[in-house]
Amino acid sequence: MSSALSDLQLAQATEHVSSQEFVLDKYIDDLYEKRGSTREKALGALVDAFESFVLLGLVEYKYVTLLSQFTNSIKKGSTTEVCMACRAIGLLAMTLGPGSSSHEIMDESHPQLLRILQTWPDAPKMISALDCLAVVTFVGETDLAETQLSLKAIWDVIHPKSGSNVGIIRKPKPPLLAAAVSAWAFLLTTVGSSRRNTDSWKEPITFLSSLLEAEDRAVRIAAGEALALCFELKLLDVSSSEEADVDSDTRESSGSKNQLFLNMQGLKAKISGLVYNLSMEAGGRGADKKNLNDQRDLFQRISDFIKSGECPEETLRLSGKNGILRVTSWRESVQLNYLRRFLGRGFLKHAQDNDLLHDIFDIKMDRIENMSNTEKKIFRSEEEKGRALKLNKERRLAQERKQNILDEQYG
């Protein structure tokens, strides 16, 4: 009786997986509909599915179709449809993880996302495009040039004067500015400290330091995180190789090296003072105490880091004995905060089941431990099926090799 019940549960669970695929296909079909409300409903359902589950097995052979329809929605959809399509593309890349598929997603979506960022439509579209661009580049990039292209596009939103739209100087409003700074910092985490030239970072770091005096608290917090990362990557330090370059360049005045060093030291002192002031900011009447405390806590940790080099540490227990996510640097902290915000309610599920997050944060998960009895049966059944297929393939290849040898000997 017990065995029969287990088999029935296994059959029902397997049927549920097939049912999921059927529903997924239905929503994909709805993306072809002419009516925008139908496409929006389908996108909303797909985004919900991507957040709730890690659907790698269901989408790895359908991602080209999904990507085509998502980009189509970006081209011709309403603001709501564009925002959901951008989110769906980012979640699709995170589901597939690094590799040729996510690189293709980055390549195909990049032109549409840049078009949004260069035409400056309404803020929700801009913020959705920024998040999507940051995520697909983070997952899909294969070299520094691709990352730099996206960093440049995001920086042109943060500081439009340096952008390509000559004669049109736009000023991003606080929600857009905070989102852009966060996206830029998130991508900056992929740039190693060895890939730097202090002089080229002086302008962006100077501008970020000015944002510490912005009226909007979210902008100050985003700029603070970005600057803490710049300190950790030593982007404000004049390296010995740069000193040698300056010394050997006869066109430079003899004081160039010292001037660069003094400029960066002055910038460090300015940032350090602003950070300390923000860590001690008084609330005042009508102040949002939670956000104020968040700001004080963040800038206190940044101040401690600037003074002593002490990195922030945070530990999240995901499940069981081994499911622990631990961050011990500003790079990891920026990545965690960004991905936690982007994934929203789906963060815990992806932290438990998504190999991409396991690789980023070096999470060691015991997946069997987190499964129900029925899920364990399916998992073990799939493992046995995989082993059987592998053995059959090896036997077939061995037989083919033997046959080839016989053909060579007696053919």
Side-chain angles (χ1 to χ4, degrees):
M1 183 68 178
S2 175
S3 176
L5 184 61
S6 297
D7 290 341
L8 177 61
Q9 289 175 329
L10 180 59
Q12 288 174 338
T14 306
E15 184 180 349
H16 175 66
V17 173
S18 300
S19 174
Q20 274 188 323
E21 187 166 11
F22 173 78
V23 172
L24 183 68
D25 287 340
K26 179 187 179 302
Y27 289 133
I28 292 174
D29 289 341
D30 286 347
L31 293 176
Y32 289 90
E33 290 292 325
K34 290 183 178 180
R35 184 174 296 182
S37 59
T38 303
R39 297 196 304 271
E40 286 179 16
K41 184 178 178 181
L43 282 166
L46 288 167
V47 165
D48 184 66
F50 281 135
E51 288 175 348
S52 303
F53 306 97
V54 181
L55 300 172
L56 178 59
L58 295 179
V59 302
E60 59 183 339
Y61 300 113
K62 302 176 189 286
Y63 80 90
V64 174
T65 301
L66 285 164
L67 178 60
S68 174
Q69 293 312 112
F70 293 160
T71 52
N72 193 48
S73 287
I74 291 177
K75 290 176 185 176
K76 66 179 185 180
S78 64
T79 295
T80 301
E81 186 175 349
V82 170
C83 291
M84 285 197 293
C86 287
R87 181 157 181 75
I89 289 174
L91 289 167
L92 179 61
M94 289 203 66
T95 299
L96 291 168
S100 58
S101 300
S102 55
H103 189 267
E104 184 178 348
I105 289 173
M106 183 190 70
D107 279 346
E108 293 296 320
S109 61
H110 207 266
Q112 298 305 319
L113 298 173
L114 290 186
R115 181 179 60 82
I116 293 174
L117 298 182
Q118 290 166 358
T119 55
W120 283 67
D122 48 82
K125 278 187 185 179
M126 292 281 287
I127 292 171
S128 296
L130 284 167
D131 281 342
C132 184
L133 179 62
V135 169
V136 299
T137 305
F138 182 87
V139 180
E141 63 88 15
T142 55
D143 59 50
L144 181 61
E146 293 170 336
T147 303
Q148 288 176 326
L149 187 63
S150 293
L151 281 170
K152 174 68 165 58
I154 296 171
W155 188 258
D156 286 347
V157 176
I158 297 170
H159 192 29
K161 286 183 181 179
S162 62
S164 57
N165 295 325
V166 179
I168 305 175
I169 300 176
R170 301 178 173 94
K171 186 177 180 180
K173 291 184 178 179
L176 175 58
L177 180 56
V181 172
S182 293
W184 185 84
F186 177 61
L187 273 189
L188 187 63
T189 63
T190 65
V191 179
S193 57
S194 60
R195 295 171 172 176
R196 64 181 179 83
N197 180 295
T198 305
D199 200 37
S200 66
W201 290 103
K202 186 170 67 175
E203 181 185 346
I205 292 172
T206 301
F207 185 77
L208 288 173
S209 70
S210 72
L211 296 182
L212 295 179
E213 300 177 278
E215 292 184 9
D216 187 82
R217 181 165 286 127
V219 171
R220 297 198 296 268
I221 288 174
E225 279 194 331
L227 286 167
L229 179 63
C230 291
F231 270 89
E232 184 174 81
L233 294 175
K234 302 186 184 303
L235 300 183
L236 291 90
D237 294 352
V238 180
S239 68
S240 57
S241 61
E242 287 176 294
E243 292 175 3
D245 289 343
V246 172
D247 284 337
S248 62
D249 192 341
T250 57
R251 292 173 296 178
E252 293 287 342
S253 65
S254 59
S256 294
K257 176 183 68 175
N258 289 335
Q259 189 60 52
L260 177 60
F261 176 78
L262 290 173
N263 286 344
M264 300 313 287
Q265 288 298 105
L267 188 53
K268 282 183 182 181
K270 177 190 174 184
I271 294 170
S272 182
L274 290 170
V275 164
Y276 176 78
N277 291 339
L278 289 169
S279 72
M280 304 295 288
E281 183 180 348
R285 184 178 297 177
D288 185 333
K289 289 186 178 179
K290 182 185 182 305
N291 289 337
L292 177 61
N293 288 335
D294 289 344
Q295 174 187 290
R296 287 172 177 165
D297 176 64
L298 171 68
F299 283 100
Q300 184 60 59
R301 287 186 288 128
I302 296 174
S303 183
D304 291 341
F305 174 69
I306 292 174
K307 290 175 183 175
S308 65
E310 180 183 348
C311 293
E313 291 191 16
E314 184 177 355
T315 300
L316 298 177
R317 183 169 292 281
L318 304 175
S319 64
K321 297 177 181 178
N322 301 319
I324 295 175
L325 188 160
R326 183 177 288 107
V327 298
T328 58
S329 66
W330 282 107
R331 180 181 65 83
E332 292 174 342
S333 180
V334 168
Q335 291 173 344
L336 173 62
N337 291 338
Y338 194 88
L339 291 173
R340 187 156 46 185
R341 182 183 63 78
F342 179 77
L343 289 168
R345 67 183 186 84
F347 174 77
L348 180 60
K349 183 65 177 176
H350 280 263
Q352 290 174 340
D353 296 342
N354 193 323
D355 288 340
L356 172 65
L357 269 70
H358 296 175
D359 291 341
I360 294 170
F361 300 110
D362 195 26
I363 303 171
K364 304 292 190 296
M365 291 292 297
D366 186 349
R367 294 188 179 180
I368 293 287
E369 181 183 1
N370 300 317
M371 295 179 182
S372 67
N373 289 333
T374 303
E375 288 173 328
K376 288 175 183 177
K377 283 180 176 290
I378 293 175
F379 181 79
R380 287 167 180 149
S381 174
E382 290 297 323
E383 276 194 325
E384 290 171 4
K385 187 189 296 182
R387 281 196 293 268
L389 289 171
K390 185 179 178 182
L391 287 171
N392 288 338
K393 182 179 179 181
E394 289 174 351
R395 288 193 192 101
R396 189 179 70 253
L397 291 173
Q399 289 172 349
E400 288 175 357
R401 284 195 296 269
K402 287 179 181 178
Q403 187 61 49
N404 288 336
I405 292 170
L406 290 172
D407 289 343
E408 288 175 4
Q409 289 178 344
Y410 303 104

